[in-house]
Amino acid sequence: MSAVTPLLQMKGIVKRFPGVRALDGVDLEVLPGEVHCLLGQNGAGKSTLIKVLAGAHRPDEGVVTLGGEEVRPASPIDAIRLGISTIYQELDLVDGLTVAQNVFLGHEPSRLGFVGRSEVGRATRGLLTRLGHGEIRPGTEVGRLSPAAKQVVSMARALSRDTRLIVMDEPSAALAHDEVANLFRIIRELTAQGVAVIYISHRLEEIREIGDRVTVLKDGRTVAVGLPAKTTPTGEIVSLMTGRSVEHVFPPRPAPGSHEGRPEVLRVEDLAVPGVLSGVSFSVRAGEIVGLAGLVGSGRSEIIEAVYGARRFTGNVLLEGRPVGRGGTGRTVRLGMGLAPEERKSQALLLDQSVTRNISLAGLGRYSRLGWLDRRREAADARSLVERLDVRPGDPDRPVKTLSGGNQQKVVLARWLLNERRLLLLDEPTRGVDVGARAELYAVIRELADSGIGVLLVSSEVPEVLGLADRVLVIREGTVIHQGDARDLDEHRVLDMIMEGGAL
Ligand SMILES: Nc1ncnc2c1ncn2[C@@H]1O[C@H](COP(=O)(O)OP(=O)(O)OP(=O)(O)O)[C@@H](O)[C@H]1O
Ligand SMILES: [Mg+2]
C-alpha cells in the first residue's frame, strides 16, 4: 500500500454495450500530482474507461472515489464540477464557434458574469500563450484550424477550469515532435501544482519520458496496475498489452535501387501553392513507398492535398504520365488515386454507417448490376478485409462510430485495398493505432507496394517514415530540403534537418 492517499480510485468498473463488454472489471488508482499512463491495444477499453470518469457513460457496475469520497459523475458538466477535465481522442470542439467561445463553452455564466467578449478573448489568449501557441487567434472559427491547433484549443479549455485531474486521450496523436515537447512542459507544470494527469498514448517512448506509473488494459480488464513507467522493460509492457511478443515491427524492404527502371506512377514537377509550397519536385515509382518527413505546418499535408486535386497549385502533377490538371478530386480518383486523410472522423468515414458500407463506399459501382446492389458480394468482400486487417470487433455490420480509433483507421485503409489503386496517399496512417496493429498495417502497406502500386506516406513519427519508406523527402517551410534512400538516414539527422533554423 502506498503512503499517499490516492486522488482517484476506480474499482471493478463494468460497462456493457449491446453485444460487447467494453469494460469487464477495471481497476485504476491515480495519486495526486502523478502522470498515470493508460496503455492497451485498440479496443482494450481505455476511452470507455475515461468516458465513465468524465460522466459521458454510466458504468453498469463498480465504484469511483475521488479524494476518498464516492462520486458518480452523471454528466460531463458534473465531472467538470468535481474537478475532472477531459481532452477527448476524437475532439469534441464545435467547428462553427470561435476559439474563445469553445474554450469558455459550458462555463457557468455566473462565473463569467457579464464579462464582455474582450475579456473572454483576453483570457483565451492568455491560456493559448501559456500553451506556447499565442499565434492562434481567439476570434478564429475552430473549423478553420488544423488538427494540431484544435488539440491546443482543447487543452486551453481544460486549463480554463479548476482541475484536480486532467485526462488526456491520445493528446500527442495530432502533434509534431516539438509540439509534444511543449505539451510535456505543460504537463510538468500542472503536476508540480499537484494536478494529476491520466495520459493515454500508443507511443511507448512518450510514456517513458512523461509517465510515473502505468496501468495496462487488455480486453476490458486491468492486467497490470501501477508499473513504474521509466523502468519496466518494453517487451514486458508489449506482451502484457498484446498477450504475445511483437518482434519485427517493420516489414523487410526490397534491396536499394530495386525500383530503378520501374515506371513512374507519380511525377511532381515544380509544384507550388502560394505562401505554402514552392519548387517541389519528386516522383514515386511503381512498388515504391516514398515518405514525407517534416513538422506540422511544413507543407507535408499540402503536398498530399495538391497531388490529390483538393488544392489549387501551379506546376505539374502527372499520374502514370497523365496530367492531373484542374479536374479536382473527381479526376484524380478516376485516374486511380486513393487518399487516407489525416482527420478520418470528419473527412473519411460515414460514422453512422456500417463497417461494410464504409469499406465499399468508393467502389459501390462494382456491386451494382442493372440498378441493383449486390449486397452479398459487398458483404463478402468487406468480411474478408475485416479478417485480413484484424478489425475488432470483427463484425462488419456494426456502425463505424462504435469502433475504437485504431480500428476506424483500419476501415479507411480497407477501402483502398478493395478498390485497386495506382497511387495511395497516406496521411498519418497509424495515428492512434496500437503497436500490434501497427505492425499489421505496415505489412499491408508494404504488400500493396509489392503488388505494384506507388505509396506516398506522411507521418509525424520519424521512425515510422524511416522504417517503412524506401525513399524519404525532408520538407521544411514548403520546400524539399533533402531527398534520399531511407537507409542512409537516421532519426537524429532527420530531426536536425526538419527543425534547423526554424524550430517553433
Ligand atoms: N458507443 C459504443 N457502442 C458500442 N460499442 C462501443 C461503444 N464505444 C466503444 N465500444 C466498444 O468498446 C470497446 C472498447 O473501446 P474503446 O474505444 O474504449 O477502446 P480504446 O482502448 O480506447 O481503443 P483505441 O486505442 O483504438 O482508442 C471496443 O470493442 C469498442 O468497439
Ligand atoms: Mg481510445
PDB file of all heavy atoms in Angstrom, residues 40-48 50-51 89-90 169-170 200 202 403-406 432, ligand 2:
ATOM      1  N   GLY A  40      -2.922   0.067 -23.723  1.00  0.00           N
ATOM      2  CA  GLY A  40      -3.704  -1.090 -24.140  1.00  0.00           C
ATOM      3  C   GLY A  40      -3.919  -1.015 -25.637  1.00  0.00           C
ATOM      4  O   GLY A  40      -3.880   0.064 -26.228  1.00  0.00           O
ATOM      5  N   GLN A  41      -4.175  -2.176 -26.244  1.00  0.00           N
ATOM      6  CA  GLN A  41      -4.385  -2.219 -27.686  1.00  0.00           C
ATOM      7  C   GLN A  41      -5.656  -1.477 -28.077  1.00  0.00           C
ATOM      8  O   GLN A  41      -6.489  -1.179 -27.229  1.00  0.00           O
ATOM      9  CB  GLN A  41      -4.512  -3.672 -28.131  1.00  0.00           C
ATOM     10  CG  GLN A  41      -3.194  -4.399 -28.149  1.00  0.00           C
ATOM     11  CD  GLN A  41      -3.365  -5.783 -28.720  1.00  0.00           C
ATOM     12  OE1 GLN A  41      -3.819  -6.691 -28.048  1.00  0.00           O
ATOM     13  NE2 GLN A  41      -2.989  -5.954 -29.982  1.00  0.00           N
ATOM     14  N   ASN A  42      -5.831  -1.255 -29.357  1.00  0.00           N
ATOM     15  CA  ASN A  42      -7.059  -0.665 -29.848  1.00  0.00           C
ATOM     16  C   ASN A  42      -8.235  -1.516 -29.396  1.00  0.00           C
ATOM     17  O   ASN A  42      -8.237  -2.725 -29.565  1.00  0.00           O
ATOM     18  CB  ASN A  42      -7.070  -0.579 -31.379  1.00  0.00           C
ATOM     19  CG  ASN A  42      -5.981   0.328 -31.924  1.00  0.00           C
ATOM     20  OD1 ASN A  42      -5.248  -0.042 -32.820  1.00  0.00           O
ATOM     21  ND2 ASN A  42      -5.869   1.503 -31.376  1.00  0.00           N
ATOM     22  N   GLY A  43      -9.214  -0.851 -28.816  1.00  0.00           N
ATOM     23  CA  GLY A  43     -10.398  -1.578 -28.381  1.00  0.00           C
ATOM     24  C   GLY A  43     -10.286  -2.177 -26.987  1.00  0.00           C
ATOM     25  O   GLY A  43     -11.196  -2.843 -26.518  1.00  0.00           O
ATOM     26  N   ALA A  44      -9.163  -1.927 -26.299  1.00  0.00           N
ATOM     27  CA  ALA A  44      -8.976  -2.506 -24.962  1.00  0.00           C
ATOM     28  C   ALA A  44      -9.930  -1.911 -23.940  1.00  0.00           C
ATOM     29  O   ALA A  44     -10.233  -2.543 -22.918  1.00  0.00           O
ATOM     30  CB  ALA A  44      -7.530  -2.305 -24.506  1.00  0.00           C
ATOM     31  N   GLY A  45     -10.393  -0.678 -24.195  1.00  0.00           N
ATOM     32  CA  GLY A  45     -11.351  -0.070 -23.276  1.00  0.00           C
ATOM     33  C   GLY A  45     -10.879   1.230 -22.636  1.00  0.00           C
ATOM     34  O   GLY A  45     -11.541   1.763 -21.751  1.00  0.00           O
ATOM     35  N   LYS A  46      -9.750   1.779 -23.104  1.00  0.00           N
ATOM     36  CA  LYS A  46      -9.187   2.979 -22.492  1.00  0.00           C
ATOM     37  C   LYS A  46     -10.147   4.169 -22.572  1.00  0.00           C
ATOM     38  O   LYS A  46     -10.446   4.812 -21.567  1.00  0.00           O
ATOM     39  CB  LYS A  46      -7.856   3.340 -23.180  1.00  0.00           C
ATOM     40  CG  LYS A  46      -6.828   2.228 -23.156  1.00  0.00           C
ATOM     41  CD  LYS A  46      -5.562   2.597 -23.919  1.00  0.00           C
ATOM     42  CE  LYS A  46      -5.743   2.878 -25.392  1.00  0.00           C
ATOM     43  NZ  LYS A  46      -6.145   1.711 -26.206  1.00  0.00           N
ATOM     44  N   SER A  47     -10.631   4.436 -23.783  1.00  0.00           N
ATOM     45  CA  SER A  47     -11.518   5.596 -23.943  1.00  0.00           C
ATOM     46  C   SER A  47     -12.824   5.392 -23.195  1.00  0.00           C
ATOM     47  O   SER A  47     -13.368   6.334 -22.613  1.00  0.00           O
ATOM     48  CB  SER A  47     -11.802   5.850 -25.426  1.00  0.00           C
ATOM     49  OG  SER A  47     -10.613   6.208 -26.092  1.00  0.00           O
ATOM     50  N   THR A  48     -13.312   4.181 -23.189  1.00  0.00           N
ATOM     51  CA  THR A  48     -14.561   3.910 -22.471  1.00  0.00           C
ATOM     52  C   THR A  48     -14.368   4.174 -20.979  1.00  0.00           C
ATOM     53  O   THR A  48     -15.227   4.769 -20.328  1.00  0.00           O
ATOM     54  CB  THR A  48     -14.998   2.452 -22.705  1.00  0.00           C
ATOM     55  OG1 THR A  48     -15.055   2.220 -24.107  1.00  0.00           O
ATOM     56  CG2 THR A  48     -16.357   2.176 -22.098  1.00  0.00           C
ATOM     57  N   ILE A  50     -12.303   6.241 -19.536  1.00  0.00           N
ATOM     58  CA  ILE A  50     -12.231   7.661 -19.199  1.00  0.00           C
ATOM     59  C   ILE A  50     -13.563   8.359 -19.463  1.00  0.00           C
ATOM     60  O   ILE A  50     -13.872   9.360 -18.844  1.00  0.00           O
ATOM     61  CB  ILE A  50     -11.019   8.357 -19.837  1.00  0.00           C
ATOM     62  CG1 ILE A  50     -11.089   8.314 -21.337  1.00  0.00           C
ATOM     63  CG2 ILE A  50      -9.710   7.773 -19.375  1.00  0.00           C
ATOM     64  CD1 ILE A  50     -11.171   9.655 -21.924  1.00  0.00           C
ATOM     65  N   LYS A  51     -14.374   7.792 -20.336  1.00  0.00           N
ATOM     66  CA  LYS A  51     -15.715   8.362 -20.525  1.00  0.00           C
ATOM     67  C   LYS A  51     -16.594   8.098 -19.307  1.00  0.00           C
ATOM     68  O   LYS A  51     -17.470   8.896 -18.985  1.00  0.00           O
ATOM     69  CB  LYS A  51     -16.362   7.827 -21.798  1.00  0.00           C
ATOM     70  CG  LYS A  51     -15.792   8.497 -23.033  1.00  0.00           C
ATOM     71  CD  LYS A  51     -16.411   7.971 -24.296  1.00  0.00           C
ATOM     72  CE  LYS A  51     -15.675   8.537 -25.506  1.00  0.00           C
ATOM     73  NZ  LYS A  51     -15.945   7.764 -26.720  1.00  0.00           N
ATOM     74  N   GLN A  89     -10.150  11.934 -27.358  1.00  0.00           N
ATOM     75  CA  GLN A  89      -9.400  11.436 -28.513  1.00  0.00           C
ATOM     76  C   GLN A  89     -10.005  11.989 -29.804  1.00  0.00           C
ATOM     77  O   GLN A  89      -9.316  12.500 -30.663  1.00  0.00           O
ATOM     78  CB  GLN A  89      -9.502   9.916 -28.505  1.00  0.00           C
ATOM     79  CG  GLN A  89      -8.816   9.209 -29.614  1.00  0.00           C
ATOM     80  CD  GLN A  89      -8.891   7.692 -29.410  1.00  0.00           C
ATOM     81  OE1 GLN A  89      -9.754   7.199 -28.685  1.00  0.00           O
ATOM     82  NE2 GLN A  89      -7.993   6.974 -30.025  1.00  0.00           N
ATOM     83  N   GLU A  90     -11.302  11.869 -29.943  1.00  0.00           N
ATOM     84  CA  GLU A  90     -11.966  12.446 -31.096  1.00  0.00           C
ATOM     85  C   GLU A  90     -12.455  13.796 -30.588  1.00  0.00           C
ATOM     86  O   GLU A  90     -13.376  13.878 -29.798  1.00  0.00           O
ATOM     87  CB  GLU A  90     -13.141  11.572 -31.541  1.00  0.00           C
ATOM     88  CG  GLU A  90     -12.772  10.104 -31.790  1.00  0.00           C
ATOM     89  CD  GLU A  90     -11.816   9.911 -32.971  1.00  0.00           C
ATOM     90  OE1 GLU A  90     -11.618  10.862 -33.757  1.00  0.00           O
ATOM     91  OE2 GLU A  90     -11.259   8.807 -33.099  1.00  0.00           O
ATOM     92  N   ASP A 169      -6.690  11.832 -23.711  1.00  0.00           N
ATOM     93  CA  ASP A 169      -6.815  10.628 -24.523  1.00  0.00           C
ATOM     94  C   ASP A 169      -6.068  10.836 -25.835  1.00  0.00           C
ATOM     95  O   ASP A 169      -6.549  11.530 -26.728  1.00  0.00           O
ATOM     96  CB  ASP A 169      -8.304  10.328 -24.773  1.00  0.00           C
ATOM     97  CG  ASP A 169      -8.529   8.901 -25.264  1.00  0.00           C
ATOM     98  OD1 ASP A 169      -7.538   8.206 -25.550  1.00  0.00           O
ATOM     99  OD2 ASP A 169      -9.701   8.496 -25.355  1.00  0.00           O
ATOM    100  N   GLU A 170      -4.890  10.274 -25.928  1.00  0.00           N
ATOM    101  CA  GLU A 170      -4.014  10.416 -27.094  1.00  0.00           C
ATOM    102  C   GLU A 170      -3.810  11.865 -27.519  1.00  0.00           C
ATOM    103  O   GLU A 170      -4.053  12.222 -28.670  1.00  0.00           O
ATOM    104  CB  GLU A 170      -4.539   9.576 -28.260  1.00  0.00           C
ATOM    105  CG  GLU A 170      -4.533   8.100 -27.893  1.00  0.00           C
ATOM    106  CD  GLU A 170      -4.777   7.215 -29.093  1.00  0.00           C
ATOM    107  OE1 GLU A 170      -4.246   7.535 -30.170  1.00  0.00           O
ATOM    108  OE2 GLU A 170      -5.481   6.213 -28.944  1.00  0.00           O
ATOM    109  N   ILE A 200      -3.083   8.866 -22.034  1.00  0.00           N
ATOM    110  CA  ILE A 200      -3.228   7.705 -22.913  1.00  0.00           C
ATOM    111  C   ILE A 200      -2.423   7.952 -24.177  1.00  0.00           C
ATOM    112  O   ILE A 200      -2.524   9.025 -24.782  1.00  0.00           O
ATOM    113  CB  ILE A 200      -4.710   7.474 -23.285  1.00  0.00           C
ATOM    114  CG1 ILE A 200      -5.547   7.253 -22.011  1.00  0.00           C
ATOM    115  CG2 ILE A 200      -4.858   6.293 -24.245  1.00  0.00           C
ATOM    116  CD1 ILE A 200      -7.032   7.071 -22.271  1.00  0.00           C
ATOM    117  N   HIS A 202      -0.253   5.598 -27.574  1.00  0.00           N
ATOM    118  CA  HIS A 202       0.287   4.350 -28.109  1.00  0.00           C
ATOM    119  C   HIS A 202       1.790   4.427 -28.297  1.00  0.00           C
ATOM    120  O   HIS A 202       2.407   3.490 -28.773  1.00  0.00           O
ATOM    121  CB  HIS A 202      -0.381   4.007 -29.434  1.00  0.00           C
ATOM    122  CG  HIS A 202      -1.813   3.572 -29.259  1.00  0.00           C
ATOM    123  ND1 HIS A 202      -2.134   2.390 -28.655  1.00  0.00           N
ATOM    124  CD2 HIS A 202      -2.977   4.173 -29.571  1.00  0.00           C
ATOM    125  CE1 HIS A 202      -3.451   2.263 -28.615  1.00  0.00           C
ATOM    126  NE2 HIS A 202      -3.980   3.340 -29.165  1.00  0.00           N
ATOM    127  N   LEU A 403     -16.567   1.705 -33.218  1.00  0.00           N
ATOM    128  CA  LEU A 403     -15.232   1.099 -33.197  1.00  0.00           C
ATOM    129  C   LEU A 403     -14.247   2.033 -32.502  1.00  0.00           C
ATOM    130  O   LEU A 403     -14.416   3.254 -32.530  1.00  0.00           O
ATOM    131  CB  LEU A 403     -14.738   0.862 -34.626  1.00  0.00           C
ATOM    132  CG  LEU A 403     -14.938  -0.532 -35.209  1.00  0.00           C
ATOM    133  CD1 LEU A 403     -16.380  -0.943 -35.141  1.00  0.00           C
ATOM    134  CD2 LEU A 403     -14.432  -0.582 -36.631  1.00  0.00           C
ATOM    135  N   SER A 404     -13.191   1.463 -31.950  1.00  0.00           N
ATOM    136  CA  SER A 404     -12.162   2.296 -31.350  1.00  0.00           C
ATOM    137  C   SER A 404     -11.393   3.005 -32.459  1.00  0.00           C
ATOM    138  O   SER A 404     -11.460   2.621 -33.634  1.00  0.00           O
ATOM    139  CB  SER A 404     -11.221   1.426 -30.531  1.00  0.00           C
ATOM    140  OG  SER A 404     -10.480   0.596 -31.386  1.00  0.00           O
ATOM    141  N   GLY A 405     -10.655   4.049 -32.060  1.00  0.00           N
ATOM    142  CA  GLY A 405      -9.964   4.897 -33.025  1.00  0.00           C
ATOM    143  C   GLY A 405      -9.083   4.128 -34.012  1.00  0.00           C
ATOM    144  O   GLY A 405      -9.121   4.356 -35.218  1.00  0.00           O
ATOM    145  N   GLY A 406      -8.285   3.221 -33.496  1.00  0.00           N
ATOM    146  CA  GLY A 406      -7.365   2.497 -34.358  1.00  0.00           C
ATOM    147  C   GLY A 406      -8.089   1.585 -35.329  1.00  0.00           C
ATOM    148  O   GLY A 406      -7.674   1.416 -36.481  1.00  0.00           O
ATOM    149  N   GLY A 432      -3.003   6.815 -33.733  1.00  0.00           N
ATOM    150  CA  GLY A 432      -3.941   6.147 -32.838  1.00  0.00           C
ATOM    151  C   GLY A 432      -4.006   4.637 -32.977  1.00  0.00           C
ATOM    152  O   GLY A 432      -4.892   4.010 -32.427  1.00  0.00           O
TER     153      GLY A 432
HETATM  154 MG    MG B   2      -9.487   5.234 -27.474  1.00  0.00          MG
END
